[in-house]
Amino acid sequence: IYHLEHRRDHVNGIIFFFSLSKKCDLHKLEEGPPVQAVLTREEGLQYYRTMQIMRRMELKADQLYKQKIIRGFCHLYDGQEACAVGIEAGINLTDHLITAYRAHGYTLTRGGTVREIMAELTGRRGGIAKGKGGSMHMYAKNFYGGNGIVGAQVPLGAGVALACKYQGKNELCVCLYGDGAANQGQIFETYNMASLWKLPCIFICENNRYGMGTSVERAAASTDYYKRGDFIPGLRVDGMDILCVREATKFAADHCRSGKGPIIMELQTYRYHGHSMSDPGISYRTREEIQEVRSKSDPISMLKDRMLNNNMASVEELKEIDVEVRKEIEDAAQFPPLEVRGTNPWVKLKSVS
């Protein structure tokens, strides 16, 4: 990854042109997203901060889960940050988004605060869903969850896209699902309706290589998820490179807004944790495999290296952001003890968190 050139812009300061890490694979498309991307210093710092907040928040959730302060289902997003931040950079906040149960990252990019997310995870009324949804059911403006049933969010997303078309506001719906859900029948039914009605819907398969504990090769006769729409155009994107994701999302959004109907994107990404907190994540893959992805294609490290190598930011600046982010996460995870009702009206218990 290297920058080709840079020039000064009156509004944004210096603009950097980067060639992307990998060209997109195309299905039923004459041309794909550009192979160069523009990145300003401000954008780079913003993406870096958001991805670091996401990473630190998930590591904190891991810690709180092990302390039994967070309970129940908990699916962490660390490793996949470039997907959420890249997608948001390619659409508008007035567009709509729906995802599965690995939803903490999208809750943040859609406008939720770290404190609201942490409060939700720990079942507090200050949570983004008043403490009633927990890890899998968080919502925000134009964000429809957090859905616990595998694949169920896909037809719902098509319904949101139908509303977008009906209301005529030139909005679209981003509908996310994993490689594990990609074999669900309801997804293919949705493809059919979305194509017939030319719905402004970007179907995005976040392929993190494992559906629960099953590798994609063992679960799918075809692992070309971007071709699964058959009659729907698709592209396969490096989901670890934030600029690749952003440019592909912009391309897909333009496709939808121009009335051409739905499009499919497959983001090749990776999760560092197990499927959920009950999965150690090393019974079906090796520690060496995880370490190799961390060292060679970590989304945060890739952006950091890109910025440092091109003098877009200094080591000190990025360290300062890291310190601020750590403090923000620690502060957001400090809660006063809760009073919990006992087995009768006269007994009150205090939580330990």
Side-chain angles (χ1 to χ4, degrees):
I1 302 159
Y2 59 98
H3 92 266
L4 300 178
E5 56 170 306
H6 66 266
R7 70 163 187 255
R8 190 165 286 281
D9 178 276
H10 292 303
V11 183
N12 296 314
I14 294 176
I15 292 179
F16 291 80
F17 291 78
F18 289 96
S19 63
L20 302 181
S21 58
K22 208 168 153 194
K23 201 174 174 186
C24 294
D25 297 316
L26 307 179
H27 170 67
K28 280 199 173 347
L29 288 166
E30 293 295 314
E31 57 177 333
V35 291
Q36 281 184 19
V38 172
L39 182 68
T40 65
R41 179 182 133 81
E42 286 68 29
E43 284 171 342
L45 291 172
Q46 183 56 54
Y47 298 160
Y48 180 79
R49 179 183 289 273
T50 309
M51 288 202 287
Q52 275 291 24
I53 290 172
M54 238 176 245
R55 176 73 53 90
R56 290 276 149 209
M57 181 174 75
E58 296 299 60
L59 294 178
K60 191 66 185 174
D62 170 271
Q63 187 188 339
L64 294 177
Y65 199 94
K66 285 167 180 165
Q67 292 171 354
K68 296 196 169 146
I69 294 167
I70 296 173
R71 291 172 178 264
F73 292 105
C74 187
H75 305 81
L76 301 181
Y77 199 68
D78 51 324
Q80 301 183 205
E81 296 89 352
C83 297
V85 182
I87 289 166
E88 287 291 0
I91 58 171
N92 309 317
L93 276 172
T94 50
D95 291 319
H96 307 261
L97 193 143
I98 188 166
T99 188
Y101 39 75
R102 202 177 300 281
H104 307 164
Y106 291 100
T107 310
L108 183 75
T109 60
R110 288 269 104 186
T113 65
V114 178
R115 189 160 190 83
E116 285 174 327
I117 294 166
M118 290 315 236
E120 189 59 42
L121 288 171
T122 53
R124 288 171 160 79
R125 72 174 69 172
I128 200 157
K130 297 185 167 59
K132 298 179 181 185
S135 170
M136 300 200 294
H137 304 288
M138 299 186 190
Y139 309 90
K141 186 170 173 59
N142 298 331
F143 175 55
Y144 307 86
N147 290 268
I149 306 294
V150 175
Q153 71 278 11
V154 180
L156 295 179
V160 173
L162 176 62
C164 291
K165 186 170 183 179
Y166 185 75
Q167 291 173 344
K169 292 184 190 165
N170 203 26
E171 293 169 358
L172 57 84
C173 182
V174 172
C175 185
L176 294 126
Y177 55 97
D179 51 277
N183 299 315
Q184 283 267 326
Q186 57 188 329
I187 288 178
F188 295 90
E189 294 177 45
T190 305
Y191 286 167
N192 188 51
M193 292 172 77
S195 190
L196 282 171
W197 296 347
K198 289 210 169 357
L199 299 182
C201 191
I202 308 174
F203 294 109
I204 300 184
C205 176
E206 288 184 290
N207 176 6
N208 60 23
R209 293 172 30 190
Y210 298 94
M212 296 190 73
T214 308
S215 69
V216 290
E217 293 80 15
R218 290 178 60 220
S222 165
T223 56
D224 292 335
Y225 296 104
Y226 70 112
K227 292 182 179 175
R228 289 283 192 93
D230 186 14
F231 39 78
I232 299 175
L235 33 132
R236 180 160 58 194
V237 184
D238 180 359
M240 301 302 263
D241 181 347
I242 186 166
L243 293 185
C244 283
V245 177
R246 186 189 73 179
E247 294 308 308
T249 306
K250 284 180 180 175
F251 175 87
D254 290 343
H255 176 96
C256 288
R257 291 193 217 279
S258 62
K260 293 177 186 168
I263 189 167
I264 294 171
M265 272 169 63
E266 176 190 342
L267 303 181
Q268 293 184 305
T269 184
Y270 199 80
R271 58 169 162 78
Y272 295 150
H273 267 85
H275 169 74
S276 69
M277 285 302 295
S278 59
D279 166 22
I282 46 169
S283 56
Y284 49 87
R285 58 182 186 176
T286 62
R287 288 181 195 274
E288 290 73 34
E289 178 186 304
I290 303 166
Q291 200 47 49
E292 188 182 2
V293 176
R294 272 188 193 276
S295 60
K296 288 186 181 170
S297 52
D298 180 78
I300 299 176
S301 300
M302 279 169 73
L303 178 64
K304 181 179 182 177
D305 292 346
R306 197 177 250 167
M307 293 181 74
L308 291 176
N309 294 343
N310 294 289
N311 299 319
M312 292 177 78
S314 65
V315 176
E316 291 71 30
E317 261 182 303
L318 297 181
K319 271 192 183 155
E320 200 177 307
I321 290 174
D322 295 348
V323 170
E324 287 168 11
V325 165
R326 282 183 190 213
K327 186 179 184 315
E328 184 183 340
I329 302 299
E330 283 304 320
D331 291 350
Q334 300 303 316
F335 297 108
L338 277 178
E339 275 206 337
V340 184
R341 190 184 64 194
T343 51
N344 64 59
W346 300 279
V347 173
K348 291 265 171 69
L349 306 171
K350 262 202 160 52
S351 74
V352 292
S353 59

